[in-house]
Amino acid sequence: MPINAPKDCPLCFPEQEIVLWHDASCRVIRVSDADYPGYCRLIWKDHVSEMSDLTPAEQRHCFNILMAVEVAVRECFRPDKINLASFGNVVPHLHWHVIPRYLDDLHYPQPIWAQAQRKSRGSPAPEVDDARLALAVRNAIAEQIAG
């Protein structure tokens, strides 16, 4: 169980996650969102709210994993842009969103939480299965950590 885990934290006690990769500090999951295939989330294991709650070494580790996930998502999905976001306003547990964006996605150029700009995508979404994405994440993490 994560350190300082409140019983109602959905990131401390997840249900039905698609875990692509994990270590003792964090995990990378695929977010099931038909409108945003390739949407991933990096979740820190311990229940902390901010990056500054981590030690400098933990911050570097988190950032290295985040950069590797971005690389893997770009490789697999070839988006026009990647959005990285860490809010925690609703769930105050350190996590990062890695969201592939396309010029014709529902919300572009607005954030995915804003009002939709169109009713449907102009082109089909890339299809990448969990196994392929997980392999890309693992490979990118290995490369990022190796330097």
Side-chain angles (χ1 to χ4, degrees):
M1 177 168 37
I3 295 173
N4 302 322
K7 291 181 170 73
D8 62 344
C9 177
L11 300 182
C12 288
F13 304 101
E15 295 180 10
Q16 300 180 356
E17 283 184 334
I18 302 167
V19 178
L20 301 172
W21 177 90
H22 69 91
D23 69 4
S25 301
C26 58
R27 66 188 182 277
V28 175
I29 67 166
R30 184 171 191 168
V31 176
S32 295
D33 187 328
D35 293 327
Y36 294 93
Y39 181 169
C40 293
R41 195 175 289 136
L42 183 158
I43 303 166
W44 196 254
K45 180 180 178 184
D46 293 332
H47 189 86
V48 298
S49 297
E50 309 298 340
M51 285 289 288
S52 58
D53 292 331
L54 305 180
T55 67
E58 290 170 331
Q59 291 169 3
R60 286 189 297 278
H61 180 67
C62 185
F63 191 75
N64 282 336
I65 303 304
L66 180 64
M67 291 299 92
V69 174
E70 177 181 310
V71 166
V73 169
R74 289 182 70 196
E75 174 190 314
C76 289
F77 293 90
R78 304 283 184 222
D80 296 308
K81 180 74 178 98
I82 291 281
N83 287 172
L84 299 176
S86 179
F87 301 113
N89 298 340
V90 176
V91 180
H93 181 131
L94 180 60
H95 63 286
W96 284 87
H97 302 267
V98 180
I99 310 163
R101 300 299 306 275
Y102 301 89
L103 299 176
D104 64 351
D105 74 37
L106 299 183
H107 295 88
Y108 199 88
Q110 302 301 316
I112 68 167
W113 296 281
Q115 183 174 342
Q117 304 294 299
R118 56 198 60 79
K119 293 182 191 242
S120 63
R121 263 185 80 121
S123 59
E127 292 185 27
V128 177
D129 66 22
D130 296 338
R132 179 173 168 220
L133 181 55
L135 178 61
V137 167
R138 284 193 308 272
N139 290 341
I141 289 170
E143 189 171 315
Q144 181 74 24
I145 290 173

